Amino acid sequence: MATSQASQGSQPTAIVCVGMAGSGKTTFMQRINSYLHSQKQPPYVINLDPAVRNVPFDSNIDIRDSVNYKEVMKSYNLGPNGGILTSLNLFATKIDQILNLLEKRTTPDPAKPEVKPIHNILVDTPGQIEVFVWSASGSILLDSLASTFPTVIAYIIDTPRTASTSTFMSNMLYACSILYKTKLPMILVFNKTDVKDAEFAKEWMTDFEAFQEALREEEEAGSFGGVEGTPGMGGGSGYMGSLLNSMSLMLEEFYSHLSVVGVSSMTGAGVKEFFEAVDKKAEEFNRDYKPELERKRKQREADKMTNREKELGKLMKDMAVSGEPSSRKLDTDMDTISDIEDEAEDEEEGDEGLTSRYKQALDESGGAHGETGDDHSFARYIRSSQPNI
């Protein structure tokens, strides 16, 4: 439960909600925010969607207070997605200020013992998942949060739209890509269970034969891909059926690393189970993910120091203060000077020296072998172009 973290006195958990447009992500944020308030554990809420007009909850930090989405679109001549991405990039420059605020609000203040520290951080993201998950600014924001607090990804799925095997597998592949991109613990939240129960999805994730049976039924009914009554949309011997079967086997290991929760944002069903899953994933973060993040951070710092020393060595060598003998450099310089002097002599000699050498060679060849018509023609051209000869 959400109150368990308060009793344990552990670090607050950052819950980053991601999901496709229309999955009910903002409504889910409102529901878990309301639940935490009912548990006397008000969260710290961050809104990272610059294009949303109204949100049904109060945000402690709102990207719209710092970045004007419409002005960004006009100033940089961008479309909707480009405007969201650029707004996130501009907002990411303030990540140090955000972390300072979070650390102040999540740390007990001895001077104000009546003020309770925050135990949950809720982060709402844009509906365009790729804009946040696959962008540099999204990586900066997630990495910064994960380096300070246990961070969990809540992937919101529209359950009614996932009833067909093809859309279900598409969501699973998307979740897989997000998991391996962010490298953070993930909870699959099957939303809108008041419309359709999520038990079928849980069964498909744990029982390969149940998924095969559902796929076979869709093919026989002619509703493969969620289009009913359309024959030829894919068959049992077709490519798509074989592909879905293969992917369901491949993702079996992936499913074992996920927590799955069915939630109704409208009725509030499943929210308690969601926070129980959050507590487990926070423990998993501290046990499995945090050591790996620390190792990567130390590796980046070591690589940065190595590159800095390498660049410093190059600079010292270029400035000839590295202590190495400079005789080789002097020889190279002397050779270069000699080449320059030779070139200067050739320039002083000019066309006159070139013509005299050609004339001498022409006379010698004419004396030995006789002059041809071509030789006479070229010689006449040289003489006509040089009147002083």
Side-chain angles (χ1 to χ4, degrees):
M1 293 178 60
T3 55
S4 62
Q5 290 185 352
S7 61
Q8 293 173 0
S10 59
Q11 275 188 303
T13 304
I15 304 170
V16 182
C17 296
V18 299
M20 295 183 183
S23 61
K25 178 168 50 61
T26 302
T27 311
F28 174 75
M29 277 281 297
Q30 179 191 19
R31 174 57 63 181
I32 60 176
N33 183 30
S34 174
Y35 175 81
L36 290 173
H37 276 279
S38 69
Q39 298 293 317
K40 307 299 180 184
Q41 293 289 335
Y44 201 85
V45 182
I46 302 175
N47 174 43
L48 295 180
D49 190 352
V52 66
R53 288 191 175 183
N54 299 300
V55 288
F57 48 83
D58 293 329
S59 301
N60 299 95
I61 298 176
D62 198 324
I63 188 175
R64 297 175 297 170
D65 297 334
S66 305
V67 182
N68 190 323
Y69 167 67
K70 291 185 178 180
E71 288 300 321
V72 168
M73 289 178 62
K74 291 179 182 178
S75 301
Y76 296 97
N77 193 25
L78 299 169
N81 288 346
I84 294 174
L85 179 59
T86 305
S87 298
L88 281 171
N89 290 340
L90 294 172
F91 187 72
T93 61
K94 305 177 183 292
I95 188 62
D96 55 337
Q97 301 175 31
I98 297 171
L99 291 179
N100 288 335
L101 287 172
L102 291 175
E103 288 176 353
K104 287 180 181 178
R105 293 295 289 116
T106 56
T107 304
D109 188 357
K112 299 179 180 179
E114 71 279 3
V115 178
K116 295 182 179 180
I118 298 298
H119 293 281
N120 287 280
I121 302 167
L122 306 182
V123 182
D124 192 15
T125 61
Q128 292 80 354
I129 303 180
E130 67 281 357
V131 170
F132 178 76
V133 175
W134 297 98
S135 65
S137 54
S139 298
I140 291 171
L141 293 167
L142 282 177
D143 291 345
S144 300
L145 274 176
S147 64
T148 311
F149 308 102
T151 304
V152 177
I153 301 292
Y155 180 53
I156 317 301
I157 299 173
D158 189 342
T159 307
R161 293 184 182 178
T162 316
S164 69
T165 54
S166 57
T167 53
F168 170 81
M169 190 56 63
S170 298
N171 266 292
M172 294 301 102
L173 289 175
Y174 218 134
C176 182
S177 67
I178 293 173
L179 177 66
Y180 287 106
K181 175 64 174 66
T182 60
K183 296 181 176 62
L184 293 171
M186 177 181 285
I187 301 173
L188 293 186
V189 181
F190 283 90
N191 197 14
K192 305 181 183 180
T193 54
D194 54 308
V195 179
K196 185 173 180 60
D197 193 7
E199 287 302 318
F200 75 94
K202 297 178 181 178
E203 185 181 14
W204 287 354
M205 294 177 67
T206 55
D207 188 352
F208 167 70
E209 293 182 355
F211 180 82
Q212 277 189 324
E213 181 63 28
L215 179 61
R216 191 179 303 110
E217 290 177 359
E218 286 186 8
E219 292 168 344
E220 292 175 354
S223 60
F224 185 74
V227 183
E228 294 187 4
T230 307
M233 290 298 292
S237 59
Y239 171 75
M240 280 301 296
S242 175
L243 178 63
L244 291 179
N245 271 325
S246 301
M247 286 193 295
S248 61
L249 281 173
M250 179 193 70
L251 293 177
E252 186 175 1
E253 179 67 21
F254 166 69
Y255 294 150
S256 63
H257 297 284
L258 298 177
S259 294
V260 183
V261 181
V263 174
S264 172
S265 297
M266 292 299 295
T267 64
V271 173
K272 180 181 177 182
E273 289 76 9
F274 169 74
F275 279 102
E276 290 174 353
V278 168
D279 287 346
K280 292 179 181 178
K281 288 298 178 182
E283 295 174 0
E284 182 181 329
F285 176 91
N286 290 322
R287 183 183 68 249
D288 300 331
Y289 288 82
K290 190 174 181 179
E292 180 66 16
L293 291 173
E294 287 292 327
R295 186 191 66 78
K296 289 184 177 180
R297 183 183 61 81
K298 292 179 180 179
Q299 183 64 39
R300 284 197 300 269
E301 291 178 355
D303 293 342
K304 189 183 295 183
M305 288 298 297
T306 302
N307 292 333
R308 186 179 300 173
E309 292 176 358
K310 188 183 297 183
E311 292 298 326
L312 182 60
K314 290 181 181 178
L315 179 63
M316 298 291 285
K317 187 175 182 180
D318 292 341
M319 296 177 64
V321 294
S322 60
E324 297 179 0
S326 58
S327 58
R328 182 179 179 183
K329 186 174 185 296
L330 181 61
D331 294 341
T332 305
D333 293 342
M334 292 302 296
D335 293 341
T336 306
I337 292 173
S338 301
D339 295 340
I340 293 174
E341 291 176 350
D342 293 341
E343 292 176 0
E345 290 177 358
D346 290 343
E347 290 179 358
E348 291 177 359
E349 186 178 9
D351 292 338
E352 184 177 354
L354 178 63
T355 305
S356 61
R357 289 200 299 272
Y358 178 80
K359 186 177 180 181
Q360 181 181 356
L362 188 64
D363 292 341
E364 291 176 355
S365 62
H369 306 288
E371 295 180 348
T372 64
D374 292 340
D375 293 336
H376 280 299
S377 299
F378 191 77
R380 282 196 299 272
Y381 168 73
I382 291 294
R383 294 190 184 99
S384 64
S385 63
Q386 301 291 338
N388 59 340
I389 296 177

